[in-house]
Amino acid sequence: MRKNKKLKWIGGILSGLILLTALTVVCSKDIQNFMAMTYLNLKTTTKLEVKDKNLYIDGIINEKTYDQFVKILNDNPQIETLIEGDVPGSIDDDTMIKLAYFVRKKGLNTKILSNSDINSGGVDLFLAGVERTMEKGAKIGVHSWSDGEKDAAEYPVGSPEHEANRKYIEIMLGSDDFYWFTIYAATADSIHQMTEEEITKYRLLTQPIKM
Protein backbone atom coordinates (compact mmCIF):
# COMPACT_ATOMS: atom_id res chain seq x y z
CA MET A 1 0.00 0.00 0.00
CA ARG A 2 2.79 2.40 0.94
CA LYS A 3 4.66 1.52 -2.25
CA ASN A 4 1.61 2.31 -4.38
CA LYS A 5 1.14 5.66 -2.63
CA LYS A 6 4.79 6.50 -3.14
CA LEU A 7 4.60 5.60 -6.81
CA LYS A 8 1.49 7.75 -7.23
CA TRP A 9 3.22 10.62 -5.44
CA ILE A 10 6.27 10.35 -7.70
CA GLY A 11 4.05 10.05 -10.74
CA GLY A 12 2.19 13.19 -9.72
CA ILE A 13 5.40 15.14 -9.39
CA LEU A 14 6.66 13.92 -12.77
CA SER A 15 3.35 14.83 -14.40
CA GLY A 16 3.51 18.29 -12.84
CA LEU A 17 7.08 18.81 -14.06
CA ILE A 18 6.15 17.70 -17.57
CA LEU A 19 3.18 20.09 -17.59
CA LEU A 20 5.29 22.95 -16.24
CA THR A 21 7.97 22.30 -18.86
CA ALA A 22 5.37 22.24 -21.62
CA LEU A 23 3.83 25.52 -20.43
CA THR A 24 7.27 27.12 -20.21
CA VAL A 25 8.04 26.12 -23.79
CA VAL A 26 4.68 27.38 -25.06
CA CYS A 27 4.77 30.63 -23.10
CA SER A 28 8.51 31.26 -23.21
CA LYS A 29 8.23 33.93 -25.91
CA ASP A 30 5.51 35.83 -24.03
CA ILE A 31 7.45 35.53 -20.77
CA GLN A 32 10.62 36.77 -22.42
CA ASN A 33 8.79 39.68 -24.01
CA PHE A 34 7.18 40.60 -20.69
CA MET A 35 10.52 40.47 -18.86
CA ALA A 36 12.22 42.52 -21.56
CA MET A 37 9.49 45.20 -21.48
CA THR A 38 9.57 45.34 -17.68
CA TYR A 39 13.35 45.74 -17.73
CA LEU A 40 13.27 48.46 -20.38
CA ASN A 41 10.62 50.40 -18.45
CA LEU A 42 12.95 50.49 -15.44
CA LYS A 43 15.72 52.12 -17.48
CA THR A 44 16.05 55.53 -19.10
CA THR A 45 15.83 54.55 -22.75
CA THR A 46 15.19 57.96 -24.29
CA LYS A 47 17.84 60.60 -24.89
CA LEU A 48 16.60 64.18 -25.04
CA GLU A 49 18.83 67.13 -25.92
CA VAL A 50 17.98 70.82 -26.24
CA LYS A 51 19.63 72.96 -28.91
CA ASP A 52 18.26 76.49 -29.19
CA LYS A 53 14.57 76.09 -30.07
CA ASN A 54 14.86 72.41 -30.96
CA LEU A 55 14.48 69.32 -28.81
CA TYR A 56 16.24 66.25 -30.20
CA ILE A 57 14.95 62.81 -29.26
CA ASP A 58 16.58 59.41 -29.74
CA GLY A 59 15.85 55.96 -28.34
CA ILE A 60 12.88 53.87 -27.28
CA ILE A 61 9.88 55.63 -25.75
CA ASN A 62 9.07 54.09 -22.36
CA GLU A 63 7.22 55.02 -19.16
CA LYS A 64 9.99 57.41 -18.09
CA THR A 65 9.95 59.36 -21.35
CA TYR A 66 6.82 61.36 -20.59
CA ASP A 67 8.15 62.77 -17.32
CA GLN A 68 11.53 63.49 -18.94
CA PHE A 69 9.81 65.34 -21.75
CA VAL A 70 7.50 67.42 -19.54
CA LYS A 71 10.39 68.52 -17.32
CA ILE A 72 12.54 69.59 -20.27
CA LEU A 73 9.70 71.59 -21.80
CA ASN A 74 8.96 73.28 -18.49
CA ASP A 75 12.65 74.19 -18.16
CA ASN A 76 12.94 75.29 -21.81
CA PRO A 77 9.79 77.14 -22.87
CA GLN A 78 11.57 78.38 -26.01
CA ILE A 79 11.33 74.92 -27.66
CA GLU A 80 9.31 74.97 -30.87
CA THR A 81 10.34 71.82 -32.74
CA LEU A 82 10.80 68.17 -31.79
CA ILE A 83 13.42 66.54 -34.03
CA GLU A 84 13.45 62.76 -34.10
CA GLY A 85 16.69 60.94 -34.86
CA ASP A 86 16.73 57.19 -34.25
CA VAL A 87 13.42 56.32 -32.57
CA PRO A 88 12.72 52.60 -33.07
CA GLY A 89 9.38 52.59 -31.24
CA SER A 90 7.72 52.55 -27.85
CA ILE A 91 7.33 50.05 -25.03
CA ASP A 92 3.59 50.66 -24.79
CA ASP A 93 1.04 52.61 -26.78
CA ASP A 94 -0.53 54.28 -23.73
CA THR A 95 2.69 56.16 -22.86
CA MET A 96 3.34 57.08 -26.48
CA ILE A 97 -0.19 58.41 -27.04
CA LYS A 98 -0.08 60.39 -23.78
CA LEU A 99 3.22 61.96 -24.86
CA ALA A 100 1.96 62.66 -28.37
CA TYR A 101 -1.18 64.42 -27.15
CA PHE A 102 1.06 66.56 -24.93
CA VAL A 103 3.22 67.49 -27.94
CA ARG A 104 0.14 68.58 -29.90
CA LYS A 105 -1.27 70.46 -26.90
CA LYS A 106 1.97 72.42 -26.63
CA GLY A 107 1.77 73.30 -30.33
CA LEU A 108 5.16 71.84 -31.19
CA ASN A 109 6.30 71.05 -34.70
CA THR A 110 8.00 67.75 -35.56
CA LYS A 111 10.83 67.10 -37.97
CA ILE A 112 12.91 64.19 -39.23
CA LEU A 113 16.32 64.65 -40.82
CA SER A 114 17.95 62.91 -43.78
CA ASN A 115 19.60 60.41 -41.40
CA SER A 116 16.57 59.91 -39.17
CA ASP A 117 15.10 56.44 -38.76
CA ILE A 118 11.74 56.28 -37.00
CA ASN A 119 9.50 53.26 -36.60
CA SER A 120 6.22 52.24 -35.00
CA GLY A 121 5.59 54.50 -31.98
CA GLY A 122 8.26 56.86 -33.24
CA VAL A 123 6.10 57.47 -36.31
CA ASP A 124 3.00 58.00 -34.18
CA LEU A 125 4.89 60.60 -32.14
CA PHE A 126 5.94 62.37 -35.34
CA LEU A 127 2.27 62.77 -36.30
CA ALA A 128 1.69 64.90 -33.20
CA GLY A 129 3.47 67.88 -34.76
CA VAL A 130 1.40 70.84 -35.86
CA GLU A 131 3.85 71.29 -38.74
CA ARG A 132 5.51 68.03 -39.85
CA THR A 133 8.57 68.18 -42.08
CA MET A 134 10.96 65.59 -43.46
CA GLU A 135 14.29 65.70 -45.24
CA LYS A 136 14.83 63.36 -48.17
CA GLY A 137 16.49 60.14 -47.02
CA ALA A 138 14.68 59.85 -43.71
CA LYS A 139 13.20 56.41 -43.01
CA ILE A 140 9.66 55.83 -41.77
CA GLY A 141 8.70 52.28 -40.77
CA VAL A 142 5.26 51.07 -39.77
CA HIS A 143 3.60 47.84 -38.71
CA SER A 144 0.63 46.39 -36.86
CA TRP A 145 0.39 46.66 -33.10
CA SER A 146 -0.05 43.51 -31.02
CA ASP A 147 -1.60 42.87 -27.62
CA GLY A 148 0.51 39.77 -27.10
CA GLU A 149 -2.25 37.47 -28.34
CA LYS A 150 -3.30 38.94 -31.66
CA ASP A 151 -2.11 41.47 -34.18
CA ALA A 152 -4.40 44.42 -34.80
CA ALA A 153 -5.26 43.11 -38.26
CA GLU A 154 -6.80 40.01 -36.66
CA TYR A 155 -9.49 42.09 -34.96
CA PRO A 156 -12.50 42.96 -37.15
CA VAL A 157 -13.09 46.57 -38.16
CA GLY A 158 -15.24 48.13 -35.46
CA SER A 159 -13.72 46.13 -32.61
CA PRO A 160 -13.05 48.22 -29.49
CA GLU A 161 -9.43 47.08 -29.55
CA HIS A 162 -8.82 49.45 -32.47
CA GLU A 163 -10.35 52.54 -30.93
CA ALA A 164 -7.52 54.22 -28.96
CA ASN A 165 -5.00 54.02 -31.79
CA ARG A 166 -7.53 54.65 -34.55
CA LYS A 167 -8.92 57.72 -32.79
CA TYR A 168 -5.43 59.09 -32.18
CA ILE A 169 -4.58 58.93 -35.90
CA GLU A 170 -7.88 60.51 -36.82
CA ILE A 171 -7.32 63.43 -34.43
CA MET A 172 -3.78 64.03 -35.64
CA LEU A 173 -4.35 63.65 -39.39
CA GLY A 174 -8.06 64.35 -39.77
CA SER A 175 -8.70 60.81 -41.04
CA ASP A 176 -8.07 57.28 -39.78
CA ASP A 177 -6.94 56.02 -43.21
CA PHE A 178 -3.31 55.87 -42.10
CA TYR A 179 -4.23 53.70 -39.11
CA TRP A 180 -5.78 51.02 -41.30
CA PHE A 181 -2.82 51.21 -43.66
CA THR A 182 -0.30 50.57 -40.87
CA ILE A 183 -2.00 47.52 -39.39
CA TYR A 184 -2.15 45.76 -42.75
CA ALA A 185 1.25 46.99 -44.04
CA ALA A 186 3.26 44.56 -41.90
CA THR A 187 2.80 42.17 -38.99
CA ALA A 188 3.82 43.19 -35.47
CA ASP A 189 7.12 41.33 -35.73
CA SER A 190 7.97 42.87 -39.11
CA ILE A 191 8.28 46.39 -40.55
CA HIS A 192 7.23 48.19 -43.72
CA GLN A 193 9.41 51.04 -44.96
CA MET A 194 7.10 53.66 -46.40
CA THR A 195 7.69 55.03 -49.87
CA GLU A 196 7.57 58.74 -50.64
CA GLU A 197 4.31 58.11 -52.49
CA GLU A 198 2.75 56.51 -49.40
CA ILE A 199 4.01 59.31 -47.16
CA THR A 200 2.33 61.83 -49.45
CA LYS A 201 -0.85 59.79 -49.87
CA TYR A 202 -1.51 59.50 -46.14
CA ARG A 203 -0.61 63.16 -45.49
CA LEU A 204 2.09 62.51 -42.93
CA LEU A 205 3.75 65.80 -43.89
CA THR A 206 2.43 69.34 -43.92
CA GLN A 207 5.11 70.42 -46.41
CA PRO A 208 6.79 68.71 -49.37
CA ILE A 209 9.86 66.55 -48.65
CA LYS A 210 12.91 68.77 -48.36
CA MET A 211 15.86 67.97 -50.61
Side-chain angles (χ1 to χ4, degrees):
M1 180 68 83
R2 289 181 180 176
K3 185 177 180 181
N4 288 339
K5 285 185 177 180
K6 187 175 182 179
L7 287 173
K8 287 181 179 179
W9 181 72
I10 293 173
I13 292 176
L14 289 173
S15 297
L17 288 172
I18 292 170
L19 178 60
L20 180 61
T21 301
L23 287 172
T24 301
V25 171
V26 172
C27 301
S28 59
K29 185 176 180 180
D30 290 338
I31 292 171
Q32 289 171 6
N33 288 340
F34 173 77
M35 292 178 66
M37 289 177 63
T38 301
Y39 174 71
L40 287 173
N41 267 323
L42 293 174
K43 297 181 63 180
T44 299
T45 58
T46 311
K47 178 184 176 183
L48 297 168
E49 183 178 5
V50 178
K51 292 183 180 179
D52 298 323
K53 296 182 179 181
N54 300 319
L55 175 57
Y56 290 78
I57 181 170
D58 289 277
I60 298 172
I61 300 166
N62 72 352
E63 290 180 358
K64 293 180 178 291
T65 305
Y66 180 80
D67 291 336
Q68 285 179 266
F69 197 93
V70 171
K71 184 179 186 307
I72 285 183
L73 249 65
N74 287 338
D75 293 342
N76 299 273
Q78 80 279 5
I79 292 173
E80 296 178 354
T81 303
L82 175 64
I83 299 179
E84 294 188 58
D86 183 7
V87 185
S90 60
I91 298 300
D92 65 87
D93 287 344
D94 290 340
T95 298
M96 185 286 302
I97 289 177
K98 180 180 178 182
L99 175 61
Y101 278 130
F102 181 74
V103 169
R104 177 61 66 91
K105 180 181 178 181
K106 288 295 183 179
L108 300 183
N109 302 318
T110 53
K111 182 178 182 179
I112 47 178
L113 308 176
S114 60
N115 61 347
S116 294
D117 188 353
I118 63 174
N119 295 283
S120 190
V123 179
D124 291 329
L125 179 60
F126 175 73
L127 302 183
V130 176
E131 293 292 328
R132 302 179 298 275
T133 55
M134 164 187 169
E135 293 181 355
K136 190 174 183 64
K139 296 179 181 178
I140 297 179
V142 297
H143 63 181
S144 172
W145 56 259
S146 172
D147 58 12
E149 295 182 3
K150 295 181 180 180
D151 276 14
E154 296 180 73
Y155 289 101
V157 174
S159 295
E161 286 81 6
H162 290 295
E163 192 55 21
N165 292 283
R166 185 208 64 78
K167 183 179 178 181
Y168 168 76
I169 298 296
E170 184 176 52
I171 289 173
M172 295 301 168
L173 298 182
S175 165
D176 63 2
D177 289 349
F178 180 60
Y179 170 74
W180 301 111
F181 166 76
T182 63
I183 68 171
Y184 295 115
T187 59
D189 58 359
S190 184
I191 201 78
H192 169 75
Q193 292 293 334
M194 294 186 70
T195 65
E196 291 186 4
E197 289 74 20
E198 290 170 339
I199 292 169
T200 300
K201 176 181 178 180
Y202 292 103
R203 297 181 297 173
L204 269 61
L205 307 176
T206 57
Q207 299 177 27
I209 296 174
K210 300 180 182 297
M211 303 300 289

